Amino acid sequence: MPAVADILIPLALDTAYSYAVPPGLTLVPGDIVQVPLGPRETIGVVWGLDARASGGNLRPVTGKVDAPRLSEPLRKLVDWLARYTLAPKGSALAMALRLPDEAAQREAPRIGVRAAGRPPSRQTPARGKVMAVVTDGGVRGKSALAREAGVSLSVVDGLIDDGALETVALVPEPVALPPDPDFPRVPLSDAQSAAAHALSAAFDAFPRPIPDRPETSRDEERGGSAVEAAKATGDGGGAVPASGPGGTILLEGVTGSGKTEVYFEAVAECVRRGGQALVLMPEIALTAQFLDRFKARFGVRPATWHSGIGGKRRERIRAGVAAGEIAVVVGARSALFLPFARLGLVVVDEEHESAYKQEDGVHYHARDMAVVRGRLEGCPVVLASATPSIESLVNAQIGRYRHVSLPARFGGRSLPRIAAIDMRLDKPERGRFLSPPMVNAVTATLAEGDQALLFLNRRGYAPLTLCRACGHRYQCRNCSTWLVEHRFRRALVCHQCGYAERKPEACTECGAFDHLTPCGPGVERIAEEVAELFPERRVVVLSSDFPGGAERLRQELETVAAGECDIVIGTQLVAKGHNFPHLTLVGVLDADIGLTSGDPRAAERTFQLLQQVTGRAGRGERPGRALVQTYQPDHPVIAALLSGDAERFYEEEIASREAAGLPPFGRLAALIVSSEEREKAEAHGQALARVADPPPGLAVLGPAEAPLALVRGRWRFRLLVKAERGIDVQSYLRDWLARGPKPRGNLKVAIDVDPQSFL
């Protein structure tokens, strides 16, 4: 029996600690155990066992925790993620390890009531209604019984006290009922059927049902290296390991082509074969419409996983996933680390979305890690998008991914006609932001009984507030960003750290009254202008930071989909996969946002966003159109959008990336040095640069002050590593940091391999 266990602890530690296995305790890799760490007890995971070693003077494992074991593929994912991102292995483990919450385990039982077999001692009309309902012998919850009988809850309680009703414990409601893969559904088009067949055929490359996998030995667990991890990434533009036949599929389809219904068929095939499916979404808290579509296809809703799910339900989902009882999970990026027992399919919806990149803690991209987990689990991965990322598209072009395309909308519907409004010629009235052609288009659309969407990717009322008397600009106390006015909240808000202050009546710098001026528009200011232009029309504003949270947004989205409003004003929230059948006009109010930034992905992201939002138009029975207000109608991004020639845009953007050696044709990594003192951050960055000693094919740029130099009270300097595709960047970074000065005090160095944000 092994005498020593290597235990990985979910803290910012990069090595497993050795503990003695006490007599009588049987452990296998993946078990969750309790161990002493310094003066306290903590939990960890058995990462390896050594039968040859002696426990000696090692501290013993305290005991085994009653929690789902981490499977071999999930442990390998943790190892892989830590090697690739240079994060401490314990930090990577923390995302996959969640112990059962004692409060959740003590979840109060559900209580139902039924007839006790004897009449009430005192009869009243209300009591008579209740007794008439329970004559069928059924068991109901107290509230449900009161509603059904049309009485107050106190009447039911009185009958229980009287002995006419008795209480019984109800079986807990399942987190998610089993989906029916053969539930009656709307027939697919020929193109959808062909695409669905291609996705379902991918399962033939993998054995099903998924067998239990043998546990690896301690030596095998330690066998992976950074070089192997770098080789597995393949293209250097994202963590993309080599896949077997049909391993990863890029499902590309124009907006409204029915991609969701296609990958639903892959989910159905996975369920038929006894596997579990995971569908990742960028905005899981806003997917009520998606869940309704899932229920229409499978007869039930799936389990959902995101930050809004409460502790008790989270524990039940984890337990159900680990036991194989939950067949389908729809979740945010953190769902990627759930302990699936038989993971048979991973779908990444809207795979191009930047929301899949985690920008704090362990810097990972969920799309890329989904591909890694699919390879480790031996299951297909589907990446779905109307506007694929450059990385995924190149992987499809070189044959690393299979490419399945849906070039036309479902039902023969046409794509919206898109035209530009040149703001140099058609200027809005002074103090307004809607051009005359846009106002006329909205008026005509409303007259026809249709809906119009006005899109502006800027939250709040105005992005900047200044004093006309002294020129003072209101800036965040913790960040180098301007405070955004939110008139609905009567506050000035920082969109970086969340700092907020009440908008003052007078300038805090010079004391002048009535001289504070909002500069530029946000969605709230557009809503104010629309209310003046169309006072009789119902307007809905959709923005992620509006009061009411996800529940209010869900209700508002349902209102829009039902056609119960006339004008929708929204940020990028409205561009993500929503189906508004009554919407025939989309107006983009500032198409040039983002085109002038120094981000190498600026053109790609702007094109994707505009293509997605204009695709909301004309998805119902009536054709749609889109108008784009721009000062740069000849810009390549705007020209590609207007022409509808997405292929040409991608060709030019890919050629530009290749010429510049940028991902996916080269590799990038960022080091962000931060401190509460600007001088310390800059000095440490310069000290790192002096010992960089880059090899041929690799360059180190910087340090340079980050565009957002101050965030949450910390000054930031960036160093950027730019390397040729075949260079092992991770090994270089480890060596560089080992030679460089060590961070001390409040100074921190964060590593971001494959950065998505350059702010």
Side-chain angles (χ1 to χ4, degrees), residues 242-511:
S243 304
T248 302
I249 302 170
L250 174 61
L251 175 60
E252 180 184 4
V254 299
T255 55
S257 59
K259 295 181 294 299
T260 303
E261 285 72 17
V262 169
Y263 71 66
F264 274 172
E265 296 311 304
V267 171
E269 183 64 18
C270 175
V271 173
R272 288 191 193 99
R273 296 181 181 226
Q276 295 169 291
L278 168 63
V279 181
L280 294 179
M281 306 197 78
E283 295 285 349
I284 186 62
L286 309 173
T287 54
Q289 194 176 72
F290 174 87
L291 299 179
D292 289 341
R293 293 170 71 179
F294 188 96
K295 184 176 181 180
R297 170 60 184 87
F298 294 98
V300 297
R301 288 174 174 253
T304 57
W305 180 269
H306 55 85
S307 59
I309 299 296
K312 294 179 180 179
R313 188 171 182 84
R314 288 175 75 87
E315 297 307 333
R316 293 183 63 194
I317 292 173
R318 284 187 64 84
V321 165
E325 298 168 355
I326 294 177
V328 183
V329 175
V330 176
R333 59 176 182 250
S334 60
L336 187 62
F337 300 97
L338 284 171
F340 288 95
R342 303 185 307 277
L343 187 60
L345 173 69
V346 181
V347 177
V348 184
D349 198 15
E350 307 290 354
E351 63 87 26
H352 64 279
E353 278 287 345
S354 59
Y356 283 121
K357 180 64 185 278
Q358 178 158 302
E359 299 287 359
D360 56 1
V362 180
H363 293 248
Y364 73 95
H365 200 300
R367 175 199 63 213
D368 298 338
M369 290 304 120
V371 175
V372 174
R373 183 156 193 188
R375 180 172 72 90
L376 295 174
E377 296 277 1
C379 72
V381 178
V382 176
L383 309 178
S385 177
T387 53
S389 63
I390 297 290
E391 287 82 357
S392 295
L393 199 57
V394 169
N395 276 319
Q397 290 175 351
I398 65 176
R400 185 180 295 275
Y401 297 167
R402 290 182 61 195
H403 194 182
V404 176
S405 180
L406 291 168
R409 281 188 161 181
F410 177 78
R413 297 183 179 93
S414 59
L415 290 167
R417 294 177 289 107
I418 306 176
I421 298 175
D422 190 337
M423 297 293 281
R424 298 168 300 181
L425 304 176
D426 291 302
K427 299 179 180 180
E429 297 178 17
R430 184 176 180 83
R432 294 192 181 276
F433 301 94
L434 300 181
S435 64
M438 185 69 75
V439 174
N440 293 337
V442 173
T443 301
T445 299
L446 299 180
E448 294 174 359
D450 296 329
Q451 290 174 320
L453 164 64
L454 297 176
F455 171 78
L456 176 64
N457 197 25
R458 190 181 287 130
R459 293 176 289 163
Y461 184 84
L464 171 65
T465 299
L466 61 79
C467 175
R468 294 195 308 270
C470 68
H472 175 66
R473 299 184 177 194
Y474 282 82
Q475 190 171 0
C476 178
R477 297 179 181 179
N478 306 315
C479 307
S480 54
T481 56
W482 307 121
L483 292 177
V484 177
E485 180 181 348
H486 283 248
R487 190 155 292 188
F488 293 167
R489 295 166 58 181
R490 298 181 181 178
L492 302 177
V493 181
C494 173
H495 287 171
Q496 291 299 320
C497 69
Y499 168 79
E501 63 182 52
R502 190 169 184 83
K503 183 182 176 182
E505 298 293 333
C507 176
T508 54
E509 189 73 14
C510 69

Side-chain angles (χ1 to χ4, degrees), residues 472-600:
H472 175 66
R473 299 184 177 194
Y474 282 82
Q475 190 171 0
C476 178
R477 297 179 181 179
N478 306 315
C479 307
S480 54
T481 56
W482 307 121
L483 292 177
V484 177
E485 180 181 348
H486 283 248
R487 190 155 292 188
F488 293 167
R489 295 166 58 181
R490 298 181 181 178
L492 302 177
V493 181
C494 173
H495 287 171
Q496 291 299 320
C497 69
Y499 168 79
E501 63 182 52
R502 190 169 184 83
K503 183 182 176 182
E505 298 293 333
C507 176
T508 54
E509 189 73 14
C510 69
F513 282 87
D514 300 326
H515 278 71
L516 297 184
T517 302
C519 299
V523 288
E524 293 179 19
R525 196 168 190 178
I526 298 302
E528 186 177 87
E529 183 174 337
V530 167
E532 294 176 5
L533 292 169
F534 306 98
E536 303 300 322
R537 298 292 185 170
R538 182 178 178 190
V539 179
V540 168
V541 181
L542 298 176
S543 177
S544 59
D545 57 3
F546 265 47
E551 179 59 26
R552 184 208 163 170
L553 284 172
R554 182 189 65 78
Q555 295 173 356
E556 297 286 34
L557 288 168
E558 290 178 354
T559 296
V560 177
E564 296 174 358
C565 71
D566 302 305
I567 302 173
V568 183
I569 301 170
T571 62
Q572 64 176 349
L573 178 73
V574 300
K576 299 178 181 179
H578 303 295
N579 184 32
F580 303 137
H582 305 282
L583 185 67
T584 61
L585 173 68
V586 170
V588 179
L589 302 188
D590 194 347
D592 306 324
I593 293 179
L595 290 177
T596 57
S597 76
D599 188 336

Side-chain angles (χ1 to χ4, degrees), residues 78-330:
V78 169
D79 283 334
W80 207 100
L81 177 62
R83 288 197 300 266
Y84 191 85
T85 64
L86 276 75
K89 192 180 294 187
S91 297
L93 173 64
M95 297 189 295
L97 182 60
R98 294 289 187 275
L99 285 182
D101 187 334
E102 291 185 9
Q105 291 180 320
R106 296 193 302 267
E107 183 175 358
R110 295 173 59 238
I111 301 299
V113 293
R114 65 184 177 189
R118 70 181 198 183
S121 60
R122 181 174 60 85
Q123 189 65 271
T124 67
R127 287 187 166 194
K129 292 179 181 179
V130 174
M131 297 308 296
V133 171
V134 298
T135 53
D136 61 2
V139 179
R140 298 167 173 82
K142 289 199 300 181
S143 297
L145 176 57
R147 284 195 304 271
E148 190 174 349
V151 300
S152 67
L153 196 59
S154 61
V155 177
V156 177
D157 288 332
L159 286 169
I160 294 173
D161 295 339
D162 192 33
L165 297 179
E166 63 181 1
T167 59
V168 293
L170 298 178
V171 176
E173 289 183 347
V175 174
L177 294 170
D180 180 1
D182 300 310
F183 192 77
R185 60 189 185 276
V186 176
L188 303 179
S189 67
D190 291 343
Q192 286 178 309
S193 296
H197 178 74
L199 265 58
S200 296
F203 290 98
D204 295 334
F206 304 101
R208 289 294 181 270
I210 303 171
D212 293 333
R213 300 170 176 83
E215 299 295 343
T216 56
S217 68
R218 181 181 182 183
D219 292 337
E220 290 172 329
E221 288 288 346
R222 291 177 169 177
S225 69
V227 173
E228 291 169 343
K231 288 180 180 178
T233 63
D235 66 358
V240 184
S243 304
T248 302
I249 302 170
L250 174 61
L251 175 60
E252 180 184 4
V254 299
T255 55
S257 59
K259 295 181 294 299
T260 303
E261 285 72 17
V262 169
Y263 71 66
F264 274 172
E265 296 311 304
V267 171
E269 183 64 18
C270 175
V271 173
R272 288 191 193 99
R273 296 181 181 226
Q276 295 169 291
L278 168 63
V279 181
L280 294 179
M281 306 197 78
E283 295 285 349
I284 186 62
L286 309 173
T287 54
Q289 194 176 72
F290 174 87
L291 299 179
D292 289 341
R293 293 170 71 179
F294 188 96
K295 184 176 181 180
R297 170 60 184 87
F298 294 98
V300 297
R301 288 174 174 253
T304 57
W305 180 269
H306 55 85
S307 59
I309 299 296
K312 294 179 180 179
R313 188 171 182 84
R314 288 175 75 87
E315 297 307 333
R316 293 183 63 194
I317 292 173
R318 284 187 64 84
V321 165
E325 298 168 355
I326 294 177
V328 183
V329 175
V330 176

